[in-house]
Amino acid sequence: MKELLVISGKGGTGKTSVVASFAALADSKVLADCDVDAADLHLLLSPEELESHEFIASRLATLDEEKCIGCGRCSEACRFGAIAMADGYPVIDPISCEGCTVCSHICPEGAITMVDAISGHWFVSDTRFGPMVHAKLKAAEENSGKLVSQVRRKAREIAERQGLECIITDGPPGVGCPVISSISGVDLALIVTEPTVAGVHDMERVLDLTRHFDVNAAVCINKCDLDEGNTERIEDYCCAEEIEVVGKIPFDEEMVKAVVRGEPPVARVSGGHGYVEGFGSGHEAGSADSRKCSDGKAAQAIRRLWDRVQDRLWQDADSGE
Amino acid sequence: MIISIASGKGGTGKTTVAVNLALALEGAIPIHFLDCDVEEPNAHLFLHPEIEHSEKVNLPVPVVDESKCDGCGKCAEVCAFNAILAFKSQTIVLPELCHGCGGCTLLCPRGAITESPKEIGEVETGRAGKIKFSHGRLKIGSALAPPLVNAVRRTADGRGPDGGLVIVDAPPGTSCPVVASIKGSDYCVLVTEPTPFGLNDLMLAVDLVRELDIPCGVVINRAGLGDDTVSSFCSGEGIPVLLEIPYDRKYAECYARGGRLVEDFPKLRDALCGLWRKIAESSGADRDGMVRRREMAEI
């Protein structure tokens, strides 16, 4: 079983559209959305929710006012600025509370206890392209990294149980906590970038990250015709760093139209019947997709990209351990 | 006054709006620009600041003095982040999991734990023309953005330049790094695009600013490229649409090469000044007579 992670550094480069296309093209897979802050993959795959779970990863400090003597030691000890003293008594700001528990240990009166906090939810769903695991972190929450780990754990479990060949993961933007949680142990990190100064800059940082964690990486340039100079810069950089550019997708308004329709920009056509492989029972929406989905320049480029990514996923693994 | 620019979804044009707003107001109002997207800071690519000061930002992580440690395991027990593993013979610290809360140091009964600084990134401060500029850069492999964001915010000490403006370019998302970036803002501009992705993530961002009790308005970027569900959502929720920037390939090309929209397209300079006027009016900046007179005279 192989794990493919699609990331970008910079947001909005087209990760989710690429992942949704792979969802339509790949044979035997489970889909995972690890952008738990602002998950979007469900908007293109219309999942039918099978399971919903509360995600409890942190605890919040709560004050028993009866016991509190107003000594202020909690406020002094808190390094997250979550406890202010007002009129001689502590006031806890739940948004700033990191759940570190220091205040509860330091309080001489035992007036602070930690209570479980629901940080979000995670879901197992069925889509016409296969099973999907996704999540929703509550606004202003921490622990996105732990929620990512939960989504990945469940996706792996499903893949193993159903004997699926790969996990295709839509990753978060950036290079911090949720990305680090997403990247560990994947077989290939596909970096979707764009030929803008910001796209180039952020791709370089995310490639530093894959190198740091010793993860196999490949690059795809989306909207490659927007700025030929920057596209060349990306290719030169990748060439020097021995990173393969596995695909170039030209700008195509059809990509935006597909998002507006809520469909992957590419659909898989098999056997000339215009039928898209469905998952489970009762999913026939695939045939509608293949009629609507364009076979425009972007869609064709994504098909070629997927062919090359498959080669890399299985060939890299064979040449590895 | 602090205006933060956030979005939920990445790549909607936060940095474009933040940078061009700063440039449109440059010279008329003292501005301190804070790029708080410490994972992927981009504003410098457009503002080209001269960096005058650079400072490493550290997180205090525990160091165990083996000669004092008796293996009681209290430190591991109090650590809420599983950053300490205690065995009878040895106590192991996993610095990459440490949040720097100081609990283990404070609560070790033998006083065997001290703290040593671990670098998580750096903050750079400088000038871009008349704009004061700061940004942070998270060290690759470091997971914790919020302490670095806080360090960037501190460079603007409180409200920023007298009678002026702090513009915060926030990271995408809705979790802790965004909270650290926009907390305490007087106004939050949410930049989105007219697609289902833009709408979905805008709704999450609206939840966040409401949770933080920050007044907000929306900028719709690439207007005309998708559908009109974002506008309908905003009118339904009573959220003002402050500005619509039409989709134009020429704007995208200008952005791609690192260009400045307000310099290449005078129409957009007017639009961004208009954005500022709307924010100033709705956030009551004119009440303190802060910028309004000068702004009317000069912008």
Side-chain angles (χ1 to χ4, degrees), chain B:
Chain B
M1 176 176 184
I2 305 173
I3 297 179
S4 52
I5 319 287
S7 74
K9 175 167 161 47
T12 55
K14 277 182 303 298
T15 301
T16 301
V17 169
V19 161
N20 286 285
L21 179 64
L23 291 169
L25 303 176
E26 183 182 8
I29 306 170
I31 288 171
H32 191 160
F33 189 102
L34 305 180
D35 188 348
C36 286
D37 187 356
V38 300
E39 294 181 44
E40 296 290 15
N42 287 153
H44 68 102
L45 301 168
F46 302 89
L47 289 172
H48 304 291
E50 263 178 58
I51 299 301
E52 293 156 354
H53 184 70
S54 167
E55 201 179 323
K56 301 264 185 263
V57 175
N58 301 305
L59 196 70
V61 300
V63 180
V64 180
D65 181 343
E66 294 288 346
S67 67
K68 290 186 186 165
C69 175
D70 66 356
C72 74
K74 179 78 178 168
C75 50
E77 183 197 316
V78 300
C79 181
F81 309 105
N82 305 316
I84 304 186
L85 304 173
F87 305 101
K88 276 212 177 83
S89 57
Q90 204 187 3
T91 301
I92 300 170
V93 177
L94 307 169
E96 55 286 357
L97 295 180
C98 175
H99 286 221
C101 72
C104 53
T105 311
L106 205 58
L107 298 163
C108 172
R110 298 274 169 275
I113 302 180
T114 51
E115 293 181 313
S116 97
K118 174 179 170 263
E119 188 192 332
I120 57 164
E122 61 180 342
V123 171
E124 294 179 322
T125 299
R127 287 206 156 263
K130 292 181 178 134
I131 300 168
K132 192 175 174 198
F133 178 93
S134 305
H135 68 176
R137 200 185 289 273
L138 190 69
K139 197 175 164 195
I140 291 296
S142 180
L144 276 187
L148 188 55
V149 172
N150 292 335
V152 177
R153 290 284 305 269
R154 278 197 297 274
T155 63
D157 51 10
R159 320 306 293 171
D162 189 28
L165 195 58
V166 176
I167 297 177
V168 174
D169 189 4
T174 56
S175 64
C176 40
V178 185
V179 173
S181 302
I182 72 175
K183 215 176 159 206
S185 299
D186 298 289
Y187 198 89
C188 185
V189 176
L190 300 173
V191 184
T192 189
E193 60 177 34
T195 65
F197 289 175
L199 174 64
N200 182 69
D201 299 354
L202 173 66
M203 288 155 75
L204 300 172
V206 167
D207 283 349
L208 174 68
V209 294
R210 285 184 175 159
E211 178 100 22
L212 296 175
D213 206 15
I214 303 171
C216 72
V218 165
V219 170
I220 302 176
N221 194 15
R222 302 185 199 111
L225 199 57
D227 56 18
D228 56 9
T229 49
V230 167
S231 315
S232 318
F233 167 77
C234 290
S235 63
E237 292 284 320
I239 300 166
V241 174
L242 305 165
L243 173 65
E244 293 191 37
I245 304 174
Y247 174 73
D248 187 330
R249 191 174 164 106
K250 286 201 282 296
Y251 298 166
E253 285 169 356
C254 173
Y255 169 80
R257 63 172 184 271
R260 299 167 163 193
L261 288 173
V262 294
E263 285 170 11
D264 291 9
F265 306 97
K267 223 175 17 180
L268 289 181
R269 176 181 291 271
D270 297 342
L272 283 152
C273 289
L275 171 68
W276 160 243
R277 275 193 296 274
K278 284 187 187 168
I279 297 170
E281 276 161 24
S282 69
S283 65
D286 48 339
R287 266 206 308 275
D288 5 327
M290 184 180 83
V291 210
R292 196 161 169 77
R293 274 186 310 269
R294 286 154 71 184
E295 168 222 332
M296 284 310 185
E298 293 173 55
I299 298 172

Side-chain angles (χ1 to χ4, degrees), chain A residues 38-87:
Chain A
D40 282 339
L41 187 61
H42 65 280
L43 298 169
L44 299 188
L45 303 184
S46 330
E48 196 180 301
E49 199 180 296
L50 302 176
E51 294 173 28
S52 165
H53 302 269
E54 280 179 352
F55 172 66
I56 298 169
S58 65
R59 292 183 297 162
L60 287 180
T62 36
L63 180 74
D64 182 342
E65 286 170 14
E66 308 258 299
K67 289 186 186 167
C68 177
I69 53 164
C71 69
R73 291 186 63 189
C74 53
S75 177
E76 279 163 34
C78 178
R79 289 196 177 164
F80 304 100
I83 308 182
M85 296 300 285
D87 298 329

Side-chain angles (χ1 to χ4, degrees), chain A residues 308-319:
Chain A
R308 187 60 202 135
V309 165
Q310 286 182 90
D311 291 348
R312 281 292 302 268
L313 265 179
W314 275 276
Q315 152 222 314
D316 285 5
D318 294 344
S319 62

Side-chain angles (χ1 to χ4, degrees), chain A residues 87-116:
Chain A
D87 298 329
Y89 286 93
V91 180
I92 300 170
D93 171 12
I95 290 174
S96 298
C97 177
E98 189 98 350
C100 72
T101 75
V102 169
C103 54
S104 70
H105 290 289
I106 208 84
C107 175
E109 303 299 317
I112 298 180
T113 47
M114 303 301 295
V115 294
D116 282 350

